[in-house]
Amino acid sequence: MTRRMLASSAVVIGAAALAPFARAAEKMRKKVLAYNPNATPKPPYSPAVAYGSLVFVSGKASYAASDPKDIRVCTKYALDELAKELKNAGSSMDNVLKVQVFLRNIDDYAAMNEIFSATFVKEPPTRTTVAAIIPRDSLVEIDAIAFI
Amino acid sequence: MSNESTPLTREFFSAAQPSPNAHIYTPVVGFGQLLFLAGKTSAKAPDPADVRSCTTYVLDEIEKELIAAGSSMQQVVKVTVYLRHIEEWAAMNEAYVGRFGANPPARTTIAAILPHESRVEIEVIAHR
């Protein structure tokens, strides 16, 4: 009788001790973000999503760059757009962990790298680069995972 | 419910038991509150030549994995969509919109050559 009471008390105390962690885990929800919330047409995705201290940024493509045919201009544009989105999320380019770079032409790799390495100077993020066909004939698209 | 001082370890989930190709990859790997899903291709869609049928099928398969891992479509934070044909972007979107709830995840879409001649492949990162 006594042992059973002790055991059930231990379960109750144990559950109560863990309750704050359980509540913290239950409360974490994703948060959708956009530095330009009035973009039209409304896209079928969120420009950024934060979860805890991580932020996931949708790919920034280069079709709206001032010279969409110049890979350097396009890369700078995509990275500037990324920086705006990160800043809006309370993060920054210094906090980027992982980047994916999609190039229309794999031969643009060196030129893209010039701009990329001038942007991520100290402790650059991890990165994977591939060539692919990108929406709206873009020369480059870049997405990122960062921390806040 | 994990004690903060216990180191995190990977957890493995699969809607299909046993998991096909288990020696090559795991459909879902969990780490802390995050879930990383392997891409789902569309070769087995009801109409593999129709990108809308393919997109719906792939999203249904993703939903099954998320539920089996204790998550949901509303808890997806990041999506990557791979299309065989970039021109099918609008049609893919028609089948995509609304599938992740009112607050859609972040997304990157590109065209690439996919396994099994798939027209669509989608991968997601979600939370529990």
Side-chain angles (χ1 to χ4, degrees):
Chain A
M1 183 76 161
T2 313
R3 208 181 292 157
R4 210 187 303 152
M5 281 168 60
L6 280 173
S8 58
S9 309
V11 167
V12 168
I13 291 164
L18 285 171
F21 300 115
R23 279 202 294 276
E26 281 165 25
K27 261 196 207 143
M28 279 242 283
R29 291 230 157 81
K30 75 182 201 206
K31 209 167 81 163
V32 301
L33 302 160
Y35 91 77
N36 178 15
N38 301 316
T40 47
K42 186 168 162 91
Y45 55 84
S46 297
V49 173
Y51 179 73
S53 54
L54 288 177
V55 57
F56 300 84
V57 185
S58 294
K60 296 294 186 187
S62 62
Y63 56 86
S66 57
D67 185 355
K69 297 265 178 277
D70 179 334
I71 183 63
R72 287 177 182 79
V73 170
C74 285
T75 303
K76 177 148 203 329
Y77 174 84
L79 292 172
D80 287 347
E81 288 295 298
L82 190 60
K84 285 181 200 163
E85 208 64 69
L86 289 168
K87 185 164 173 229
N88 181 68
S91 179
S92 74
M93 295 294 257
D94 288 337
N95 293 5
V96 174
L97 299 168
K98 172 83 196 296
V99 172
Q100 293 191 115
V101 176
F102 301 96
L103 292 169
R104 179 68 181 83
N105 306 309
I106 199 67
D107 303 324
D108 281 341
Y109 185 81
M112 176 279 295
N113 253 349
E114 269 179 39
I115 307 301
F116 190 97
S117 58
T119 305
F120 292 107
V121 179
K122 206 180 97 167
E123 296 179 338
T126 60
R127 187 182 82 179
T128 296
T129 304
V130 295
I133 303 183
I134 306 163
R136 298 187 235 204
D137 296 323
S138 300
L139 286 190
V140 63
E141 178 157 3
I142 303 179
D143 73 12
I145 302 173
F147 65 92
I148 295 170
Chain B
M1 271 180 294
S2 60
N3 186 313
E4 280 184 33
S5 65
T6 310
L8 293 178
T9 56
R10 295 181 304 167
E11 291 171 72
F12 306 95
F13 305 93
S14 172
Q17 294 290 345
S19 171
N21 292 318
H23 59 295
I24 301 175
Y25 67 89
T26 309
V28 184
V29 175
F31 187 76
Q33 292 297 108
L34 290 177
L35 295 169
F36 299 86
L37 272 65
K40 290 291 187 188
T41 55
S42 62
K44 294 192 182 151
D47 185 353
D50 169 7
V51 74
R52 287 177 188 81
S53 169
C54 287
T55 302
T56 298
Y57 170 81
V58 164
L59 293 173
D60 290 345
E61 290 298 299
I62 287 170
E63 185 160 21
K64 287 180 201 166
E65 296 290 355
L66 290 170
I67 288 167
S71 179
S72 72
M73 296 292 261
Q74 282 76 7
Q75 288 160 251
V76 173
V77 292
K78 177 81 199 307
V79 176
T80 305
V81 177
Y82 302 93
L83 292 168
R84 179 65 183 84
H85 304 289
I86 198 68
E87 315 82 66
E88 294 187 338
W89 186 83
M92 175 277 295
N93 263 343
E94 280 174 34
Y96 181 101
V97 166
R99 287 302 306 266
F100 293 95
N103 294 309
R107 186 181 86 176
T108 297
T109 304
I110 56 152
I113 302 182
L114 308 170
H116 314 300
E117 294 177 335
S118 297
R119 277 187 120 90
V120 175
E121 177 162 4
I122 301 180
E123 64 169 26
V124 309
I125 300 173
H127 71 82
R128 285 193 262 195

